[in-house]
Amino acid sequence: MGQGLAGATFGDGKGVPLVLVHGFPLDGRMWERQAGALAAKVRVLVPDLRGFGRSPLPRGPHSIEDHARDLAACMDAHGAPKGVICGFSMGGYVALAFAALFPWRVAGLVLADTRAAADSASAKEVRSATARRVLAEGMTFLADDMLFKLLSERTLREGVDLSRRVWSMMVDQRREGVAAALLAMRDRPSRLDLLRRITCPTLVAVGSQDAVTPPIEAEGLAGLIPGASYVEIPGAGHLACMEEPERFNGAVLDLLARVQEQRP
Ligand code: MLT
């Protein structure tokens, strides 16, 4: 059963929305350079996932599929039977779970700096240890560590404002929500089998300097999805949509045009 999510909408309230699903350990504010800019072309829905931002904390352990069910309930609440689902990293895991559970509700898919494979055994151990440490110590150590994974060296050097905003967004998150999401990511299944069954227009986008989900992995992901387009964003790291919003938004607009062409 889906849990209620806080969600903001942008644009005129009509048509199939673009649903922007944030990554870890962030919230819907990470889409600040997409929501307003893309709302001129399409209705945009920006939820905070369970346990993040303004959404309620989880009532117990949950799965990535539960995040996808929450998303479906949030779309229902906004009168959106279908959406173009755009997920960044952890949001991409949720987007793929949504596509597995509700394929008829996906008009298009944007997989941004994400992967379809499950965690390795060692990655699972790191998730469990990090969840324990977050619960014991809070968010600061994780924000310090993650900042270097999310942003490219160039952004860290030249984009002090952006670095500060991203770090603050991470520190703002509640430890219980973050720990629960770590365990949900740890236990998520591989979605590799789903990829060849995806039939909607799909974009795979990645920062050329993404060290978390590197271009070689993203290109492989695109290669497994029939007809998917692949865009590499020069100079950006993992958080390419915040680091290079114009290029990212341009790729999303191209995808939206493909979705539009397919509609009767
Ligand atoms: C994210 O950016 O959402 C995370 O890096 C995803 C992950 O830890 O697998």
Side-chain angles (χ1 to χ4, degrees):
M1 164 96 176
Q3 215 174 280
L5 300 183
T9 47
F10 302 81
D12 71 0
K14 291 197 263 321
V16 174
L18 174 66
V19 185
L20 298 174
V21 190
H22 65 80
F24 173 90
L26 301 165
D27 61 38
R29 288 175 291 168
M30 69 159 275
W31 300 110
E32 62 188 9
R33 298 293 298 280
Q34 278 71 49
L38 296 173
K41 304 273 183 201
V42 66
R43 172 158 69 125
V44 181
L45 175 56
V46 187
D48 288 336
L49 293 175
R50 174 190 302 213
F52 291 89
R54 290 162 302 118
S55 281
L57 284 174
R59 291 187 282 261
H62 66 271
S63 63
I64 291 292
E65 286 80 3
D66 289 325
H67 281 306
R69 288 186 194 98
D70 293 347
L71 206 59
C74 180
M75 287 166 62
D76 292 345
H78 286 85
K82 289 182 99 170
V84 175
I85 314 294
C86 169
F88 161 69
S89 201
M90 178 181 76
Y93 309 157
V94 176
L96 287 172
F98 188 93
L101 289 171
F102 311 108
W104 52 87
R105 299 191 67 168
V106 186
L109 206 49
V110 181
L111 300 172
D113 301 86
T114 192
R115 58 165 66 87
D119 277 3
S120 64
S122 60
K124 284 178 194 287
E125 281 176 23
V126 173
R127 300 270 197 213
S128 306
T130 309
R132 283 195 297 273
R133 192 166 167 205
V134 165
L135 286 174
E137 294 178 28
M139 283 301 294
T140 312
F141 84 89
L142 186 62
D144 287 344
D145 179 52
M146 286 290 298
L147 194 66
F148 290 91
K149 296 184 173 149
L150 291 172
L151 302 176
S152 70
E153 275 179 32
R154 190 185 69 189
T155 307
L156 287 164
R157 203 172 49 243
E158 295 171 10
V160 176
D161 274 1
L162 179 58
S163 305
R164 197 175 286 133
R165 285 208 305 289
V166 172
W167 185 87
S168 300
M169 206 188 309
M170 291 192 277
V171 167
D172 279 353
Q173 305 307 322
R174 292 154 294 174
R175 59 182 80 184
E176 299 84 356
V178 167
L182 279 161
L183 303 186
M185 287 195 285
R186 178 194 67 187
D187 296 337
R188 75 187 193 283
S190 166
R191 297 287 174 201
L192 289 167
D193 283 353
L194 168 76
L195 301 179
R196 67 187 158 74
R197 299 200 305 275
I198 293 176
T199 53
C200 62
T202 299
L203 163 68
V204 176
V206 68
S208 66
Q209 308 301 310
D210 184 344
V212 179
T213 48
I216 190 155
E217 200 175 338
E219 201 170 2
L221 171 63
L224 292 171
I225 302 174
S229 49
Y230 171 72
V231 171
E232 206 171 295
I233 300 177
H238 189 50
L239 201 38
C241 56
M242 286 190 90
E243 296 176 271
E244 291 292 340
E246 281 81 17
R247 282 180 186 267
F248 183 85
N249 294 356
V252 172
L253 286 171
D254 289 347
L255 187 272
L256 291 172
R258 282 176 59 203
V259 171
Q260 204 61 40
E261 278 163 20
Q262 285 225 332
R263 300 191 66 212

